[in-house]
Amino acid sequence: MKELCHVAENIKPSGIRKFFDIVSEMPDAISLGVGEPDFDTPWHVVDEGIYSLERGKTYYTSNSGLIELRKEICKWYAKKYNVHYEAANETLITVGGSEGIDLALRALINPGDEVIIPEPSYVSYVPCVSLTGGTPVTIDLKNENKFKLTEAELREHITDKTKVLILSYPNNPTGAIMTKADLEPIARLAVENDLYVISDEIYSELTYTKEPHCSIASFPGMHDRTIVINGFSKAYAMTGWRMGYAMAPENIASIMTKIHQFCIMCAPTTSQYAAIEALKNGDKDIAMMRKSYDERRRYLLKRLADMNMPAFEPEGAFYIFPDISRFGMSSDEFATKLLKEQKLAVVPGTAFGNSGEGFIRISYAYSIDQLREALNRIEDFIS
């Protein structure tokens, strides 16, 4: 038999799914490993999806998605974040945010191009870069900087082969954010060095500071070099609907749409109608869920502090990234023993890059009762 694709063969399986698969077959186990809201999709959003089916709206949409949905997305981003893209030729509806990331990289990267990826980061970035023939260049972010990317760190890793920077804030797995002041020098460097930026903003609405989320696409000179990725999974509790979107300058958006056209055709029609309703009338739902996540976040911070498991205060997303280095185990050892002895699943920090060693990721997209029992088990384990 002839050989298979070497790059695909050598990609490591997701470190998140490894523990998820084990815990799914373990009675009485609790999992804090998957980044999925525990809320149901708001009923008015579900109802709109059902209504679209009842009206026979079951056909393909255009490759780019329903123009009504694209208009709502552009209106929403302009109002929320002062980011302006055109609905007709700069916006694409994707099957989740993950497809948008893949499309952006395939549209931008030629073999040998370097892509800078600050880590810890979402597990898909490095494999997706490798599958394009590009070269992932990782930056090990630091706990003492609250896992923010600094101007000095970025400058140090830019070479004449650097083409793309991937930004993911609010961040999975750390919960870190980048404020307007943090992003300004990064935007300036991107312009100076002619870099494209893929800005993964899937957690943009889950920010717990008084200052709202800031998109790097809002800075001068960034519109024409930024691909904004977002979606409905996290903010609207719509993970299973597989609704994402990408906004990019027309020359990039057209190539992304071409790839999408041949690989996917279009995103699910029912989900697109539901997404229109979410954007029009979902702000109260987001506020309610964000308030609940914030309460859980504060509960976790206090419990972990009481256990002498230091963690900087996450200001976005729904994850906390406590330091477990004092226990003398690797992240993988800690997570494996915790699962075996206490039937509690967390994700080792190394699932998100080498700089995650010495940390674990805990998701607080779970009820307070589940979190309380989980923290009790951690306390029993470390004592």
Side-chain angles (χ1 to χ4, degrees):
M1 299 286 288
K2 292 184 178 179
E3 294 179 337
L4 303 178
C5 171
H6 294 163
V7 175
E9 274 193 311
N10 291 327
I11 289 174
K12 294 179 181 179
S14 166
I16 301 174
R17 284 290 162 179
K18 170 187 170 182
F19 285 85
F20 178 80
D21 292 341
I22 294 171
V23 80
S24 65
E25 300 178 1
M26 186 179 288
D28 303 322
I30 296 176
S31 173
L32 301 183
V34 179
E36 181 169 36
D38 63 321
F39 296 98
D40 293 332
T41 303
W43 179 248
H44 65 99
V45 176
V46 175
D47 200 38
E48 187 60 31
I50 294 170
Y51 185 45
S52 75
L53 293 172
E54 292 174 339
R55 288 178 293 165
K57 304 290 186 181
T58 57
Y59 302 98
Y60 293 132
T61 68
S62 75
N63 296 133
S64 297
L66 292 167
I67 187 62
E68 301 98 314
L69 175 55
R70 286 180 278 147
K71 285 180 178 178
E72 287 298 328
I73 288 167
C74 292
K75 187 192 306 181
W76 194 81
Y77 245 84
K79 177 183 176 183
K80 288 269 186 177
Y81 308 129
N82 193 32
V83 169
H84 302 275
Y85 287 92
E86 296 296 325
N89 52 14
E90 295 183 321
T91 307
L92 168 66
I93 309 304
T94 61
V95 182
S98 294
E99 191 212 351
I101 295 163
D102 182 46
L103 291 175
L105 287 166
R106 287 204 269 173
L108 292 171
I109 299 303
N110 291 310
D113 288 341
E114 292 181 352
V115 179
I116 292 178
I117 305 171
E119 289 186 335
S121 68
Y122 180 50
V123 296
S124 290
Y125 301 144
V126 169
C128 284
V129 170
S130 297
L131 286 168
T132 66
T135 302
V137 177
T138 58
I139 298 177
D140 291 345
L141 302 183
K142 296 176 177 61
N143 186 23
E144 54 264 33
N145 294 333
K146 295 186 175 182
F147 292 104
K148 298 173 186 276
L149 174 64
T150 68
E151 179 183 10
E153 288 169 330
L154 178 57
R155 189 183 297 277
E156 182 184 346
H157 287 81
I158 294 173
T159 72
D160 58 359
K161 293 183 179 180
T162 305
K163 193 172 193 179
V164 177
L165 165 66
I166 298 180
L167 281 180
S168 177
Y169 292 96
N171 180 263
N172 172 14
T174 64
I177 65 167
M178 294 275 282
T179 65
K180 184 176 182 179
D182 296 326
L183 285 170
E184 190 170 13
I186 305 301
R188 187 171 59 249
L189 269 182
V191 173
E192 287 174 4
N193 291 276
D194 193 22
L195 304 182
Y196 292 109
V197 177
I198 298 174
S199 185
D200 184 351
E201 302 179 15
I202 192 70
Y203 295 98
S204 61
E205 282 298 283
L206 300 181
T207 300
Y208 309 106
T209 57
K210 291 181 180 179
E211 182 180 340
H213 169 74
C214 178
S215 173
I216 197 168
S218 65
F219 286 86
M222 292 305 298
H223 172 279
D224 291 343
R225 63 181 66 255
T226 303
I227 301 90
V228 175
I229 307 294
N230 209 323
F232 296 81
S233 292
K234 311 300 183 179
Y236 297 97
M238 292 177 67
T239 52
W241 297 78
R242 304 315 302 132
M243 269 286 93
Y245 55 90
M247 296 184 294
E250 184 177 2
N251 62 321
I252 299 173
S254 65
I255 298 174
M256 292 173 66
T257 303
K258 249 191 310 191
I259 302 167
H260 173 78
Q261 179 183 70
F262 289 117
C263 295
I264 300 294
M265 178 65 75
C266 67
T269 303
T270 306
S271 301
Q272 293 190 54
Y273 282 104
I276 293 170
E277 170 63 20
L279 285 170
K280 285 183 174 180
N281 299 305
D283 283 357
K284 289 183 180 178
D285 303 307
I286 294 174
M288 179 275 294
M289 289 186 271
R290 182 170 54 227
K291 182 175 183 292
S292 180
Y293 292 137
D294 192 21
E295 291 168 355
R296 303 173 196 187
R297 178 181 73 104
R298 294 179 184 282
Y299 173 75
L300 278 178
L301 277 168
K302 184 180 186 308
R303 285 294 306 273
L304 290 170
D306 290 344
M307 287 185 244
N308 195 23
M309 284 182 68
F312 81 93
E313 181 177 344
E315 295 177 318
F318 42 56
Y319 309 104
I320 194 165
F321 208 55
D323 186 338
I324 52 91
S325 57
R326 76 178 180 89
F327 300 108
M329 287 182 273
S330 70
S331 297
D332 195 83
E333 287 171 335
F334 186 96
T336 300
K337 288 187 177 183
L338 180 62
L339 180 57
K340 181 179 178 181
E341 296 180 17
Q342 294 291 333
K343 294 186 177 180
L344 175 65
V346 297
V347 183
T350 46
F352 308 97
N354 292 334
S355 59
E357 182 59 85
F359 299 86
I360 56 171
R361 188 193 78 171
I362 296 174
S363 168
Y364 49 91
Y366 298 88
S367 71
I368 282 287
D369 288 341
Q370 283 180 301
L371 292 173
R372 184 178 294 110
E373 174 58 26
L375 270 291
N376 289 342
R377 294 187 188 191
I378 291 177
E379 192 166 24
D380 289 343
F381 176 67
I382 65 175
S383 62

